[in-house]
Amino acid sequence: MKNKTIFAIPGSLRSGSSNHHILKFIGTLLPPDVNYFIYDRLAVIPPFDPGNDHEHVDENVAEFRSFIKNADVVIFCTPEYAFGVPGQLKNALDWTVSSGSFVEKPTALITASLGGEACHAAMQLILGAINATLIPEATLLVKFVRSKVGADGEITDEETKSEVIKSVNEIINKLGTLSEQ
Ligand SMILES: Cc1cc2nc3c(=O)[nH]c(=O)nc-3n(C[C@H](O)[C@H](O)[C@H](O)COP(=O)(O)O)c2cc1C
């Protein structure tokens, strides 16, 4: 049976990002037969232009779309900026509306921020608009994230750690149901 693939998209470009650390921790929890890939190229996705959405598609956009299309599950882990979705993440997602890359794609959403409610809600609307299939049990809002993830990347808050582990278990369950189909 083909190995499963999880494509993880961090919403922060910051070096030492708590969201990156959470995604790295998730990688340590996955079975060895799961291919796990953290995307680190949001910064090279050009500004969305509906005029270049179908023909002359930028190679980085095409690559981003194909990573999503080929993944069995996509995980987002993102902070909130100015009560919204970080611009670089929203921009990349705009490129996936007409391509249909997310249609019925099992998707987990972690919003890890100071507060994050507005981004968490907006991301769920966006995922609905692009027809992703949210895995509700794997969806998590982590508040005050900077006090819960240490500078070395360790999740120091035990409750957050167990919530992330629970989300990952739900994702693994989802991969199992995909294998049965
Ligand atoms: C420009 C800017 C705007 C921010 N706005 C918000 C906000 O509206 N809501 C919030 O919860 N956190 C906000 N934050 C704080 C981020 O949630 C916090 O810096 C978080 O740790 C960033 O995630 P990272 O550690 O993965 O980079 C903002 C941070 C920056 C730099």
Side-chain angles (χ1 to χ4, degrees):
M1 194 186 308
K2 183 178 157 286
N3 282 3
K4 297 293 179 197
T5 298
I6 298 179
F7 181 55
I9 307 173
S12 172
L13 303 180
R14 190 173 72 84
S15 165
S17 152
S18 338
N19 282 274
H20 280 252
H21 287 317
I22 292 171
L23 286 177
K24 280 189 196 150
F25 175 62
I26 288 174
T28 67
L29 303 171
L30 295 169
D33 60 345
V34 173
N35 300 318
Y36 182 63
F37 176 39
I38 302 177
Y39 185 69
D40 63 358
R41 291 170 57 77
L42 274 188
V44 302
I45 302 281
F48 177 61
D49 176 350
N52 287 336
D53 206 11
H54 298 287
E55 289 166 26
H56 315 296
V57 175
D58 176 271
E59 62 183 16
N60 294 303
V61 171
E63 179 192 61
F64 181 66
R65 288 172 171 173
S66 73
F67 283 144
I68 296 160
K69 190 165 179 286
N70 294 329
D72 295 288
V73 167
V74 175
I75 306 177
F76 290 97
C77 191
T78 183
E80 173 177 284
Y81 290 156
F83 294 105
V85 176
Q88 62 277 8
L89 177 57
K90 176 67 167 66
N91 177 58
L93 291 177
D94 286 345
W95 284 107
T96 68
V97 176
S98 71
S99 68
S101 316
F102 272 97
V103 174
E104 294 183 6
K105 186 69 62 186
T107 301
L109 170 64
I110 300 175
T111 306
S113 199
L114 180 61
E117 291 99 333
C119 176
H120 203 52
M123 276 297 290
Q124 290 179 59
L125 287 176
I126 294 167
L127 294 174
I130 56 182
N131 289 311
T133 303
L134 193 65
I135 309 169
E137 305 83 2
T139 294
L140 181 62
L141 175 62
V142 180
K143 294 186 179 193
F144 306 109
V145 69
R146 297 288 285 275
S147 64
K148 295 175 174 173
V149 178
D152 59 357
E154 194 193 339
I155 300 179
T156 48
D157 181 65
E158 287 307 317
E159 191 181 339
T160 301
K161 200 184 238 181
S162 52
E163 284 174 344
V164 171
I165 291 169
K166 183 176 167 294
S167 289
V168 172
N169 286 336
E170 297 293 347
I171 292 165
I172 293 169
N173 285 344
K174 185 71 191 178
L175 289 174
T177 63
L178 295 175
S179 303
E180 289 160 14
Q181 287 167 10

